[in-house]
Structure formats: C-alpha cells, structure tokens
Amino acid sequence: MLFNGIFLLIASVIAGTLSSVVGMASVILYPALLFVGLPPIMANVTITVGIIFSGTSAVLSSKRELKGQGSVTLHVMAFAVIGAIIGSIILLHSSNKSFQDVAPFVILLSGVLMLIPKKQSAYVHEGVSKTASAIAAIAIVVVGIYVGYFGAGGGVLMAAILIRIIDAPYAICNAVRNVSTLTMNAVSALIFIFTTPISWSALVVLAVGLFIGGYIGPIIVRVIPSAIMKYSVAIGAIILAAFLAYQAYF
C-alpha cells in the first residue's frame, strides 16, 4: 500500500508536468493505475478527475501568457466542452475490453503525431476566413470528444490546432491549451462523478502530485525547448503503445 502510494505520487508529479507542457498525463498515469490494480475505465475516469488539479495549477502558473488571449480562449473552451460532453457519454457506454483494445492505438497515434514537425501557423485568429474558422471549430470539437473518451495525447492534438489559429509563441498556445484542457476535464469529471466508479483513494494521491507538476510545467516551457521534451515523450509513448498492445492482444 505504501509502495503504491509513493509510486503514484512520483508518477503524478511527472504526469502533471507533462500535462501542462505537452498534454500527455494519461501516457504516464494510465499504465501506472493499471499497475496498481485499477480496471481500464476506472483508471481513465480517475485520471480525468485528477487532471483538474494539474490544470488548475497550470492555469495559475500561466497568467503571464494568458494576458490578451481572452477572446480566443473563450472560443476554444466553448467548442472543446461540446466535444468533451459527447466523448464522456461515449465512454460511459464502452466496455473495459473495448477500451483496453483501442488504447494502444490512440497512444501510438499521439506519439507519431508528436514526431511530425510542426509547420508555421497558416493563419492568425483575427484574420481567418469563415471556412477556416469552421474547420478549426470542428477540429476542436473532435479533440474534445477524444479527450472526453480517453485523453492520452489529446493535448498534443489541441496544440497542433492552436498553433494554426493563434499567431504566437508555443508558450502562449500552450497556456490556452491548458485552459481548454482544464475546462474539458472539469465537464467530463462532473459527468463521471455521478455516473461511474472512481478510485478516490488513488485520486487523493494523484491530486497532490498533479497539482505540483501542473504548476511546474509552464515554468519549464519558458526556459527549456519544448521539442526536447516532446520528442522524448513521443518515443516513450510509442514504446508504451507497443507494451499495452502486447497486453491486450497476446
């Protein structure tokens, strides 16, 4: 019991930091919770509730980057919440087996996407066409659905969209992403708390570690090149996907 608590605390600090830097908390916490004995869906739901704490501290730590981004942040939040509600409902009607089967492929996709070099922003938010705005809105809703259902790598997908609608450094795009992620997880968590079992004992430990890690993340983004961290996490995600696929299918 003590070992599990220490193990989850360390994992949650790392996950909270990654969550507020590249949005990959589930890549660390999902296998960690499976390791201590939680079933797949309960593990994912517990993570969703726990990430509220890293999201809160990340937003508090990102006040500098969020100045002047109120309008775009509200737009992103609105569409992301719609998707998160849909994704959460889908998860509630999934079985542990089907969830366990799809998880490796989702994590693999997240890792591969992180390895693909980013292009320069195609347009800025203020000057986009109606068509481009509609495409961006649909993409954000789709990411919200994905985050509500599983979430691992969802932050990476959201960041990829935001760097194309916000003509700003990665630190600012990341701050907006942290706000939208917090909102999505809060909505999903509210649904899950009243509809599906959560490991409250694990959540207490996760909350402490995630809050600490979430506050550290934005500070790291300011001083360390994000590419170094993202490529490291991408390689880890691909290895993890292979491991989870082996567990699910062999």
Side-chain angles (χ1 to χ4, degrees):
M1 183 67 70
L2 178 61
F3 171 80
N4 286 349
I6 295 173
F7 173 72
L8 288 180
L9 180 62
I10 295 172
S12 60
V13 171
I14 297 172
T17 303
L18 291 177
S19 177
S20 57
V21 173
V22 292
M24 296 287 282
S26 294
V27 170
I28 301 295
L29 291 182
Y30 181 65
L33 290 175
L34 294 184
F35 177 78
V36 299
L38 269 65
I41 289 182
M42 179 181 285
N44 186 66
V45 169
T46 302
I47 291 169
T48 298
V49 179
I51 290 177
I52 293 176
F53 294 91
S54 62
T56 300
S57 60
V59 171
L60 291 173
S61 186
S62 299
K63 288 182 179 180
R64 181 194 309 178
E65 287 79 13
L66 288 170
K67 289 182 179 179
Q69 301 299 325
S71 178
V72 68
T73 300
L74 288 174
H75 279 85
V76 172
M77 285 170 57
F79 291 114
V81 166
I82 293 172
I85 293 172
I86 297 172
S88 299
I89 293 173
I90 293 174
L91 177 63
L92 293 176
H93 292 85
S94 299
S95 67
N96 277 316
K97 178 58 178 171
S98 63
F99 185 84
Q100 195 169 19
D101 288 345
V102 76
F105 298 101
V106 174
I107 294 176
L108 176 62
L109 175 62
S110 300
V112 171
L113 287 176
M114 290 181 70
L115 291 173
I116 299 174
K118 292 181 180 179
K119 297 180 179 180
Q120 289 294 105
S121 297
Y123 50 83
V124 296
H125 179 70
E126 291 78 6
V128 297
S129 66
K130 291 183 178 180
T131 300
S133 295
I135 293 174
I138 292 171
I140 292 171
V141 171
V142 171
V143 173
I145 293 173
Y146 170 63
V147 169
Y149 177 72
F150 184 46
V156 179
L157 299 175
M158 182 66 78
I161 296 171
L162 294 181
I163 62 173
R164 288 164 174 77
I165 63 174
I166 305 175
D167 187 23
Y170 177 80
I172 292 178
C173 296
N174 186 61
V176 175
R177 181 191 63 78
N178 280 329
V179 175
S180 62
T181 299
L182 171 60
T183 308
M184 287 187 289
N185 280 290
V187 170
S188 296
L190 186 62
I191 294 173
F192 293 151
I193 286 172
F194 293 102
T195 56
T196 190
I198 294 171
S199 176
W200 295 104
S201 58
L203 180 61
V204 171
V205 179
L206 262 59
V208 175
L210 285 169
F211 188 87
I212 295 171
Y215 196 86
I216 294 172
I219 298 173
I220 292 176
V221 169
R222 296 179 191 134
V223 297
I224 298 179
S226 58
I228 295 176
M229 298 191 67
K230 286 191 290 184
Y231 284 129
S232 298
V233 175
I235 294 171
I238 293 172
I239 294 173
L240 174 61
F243 175 73
L244 291 178
Y246 177 82
Q247 283 191 322
Y249 294 99
F250 298 98

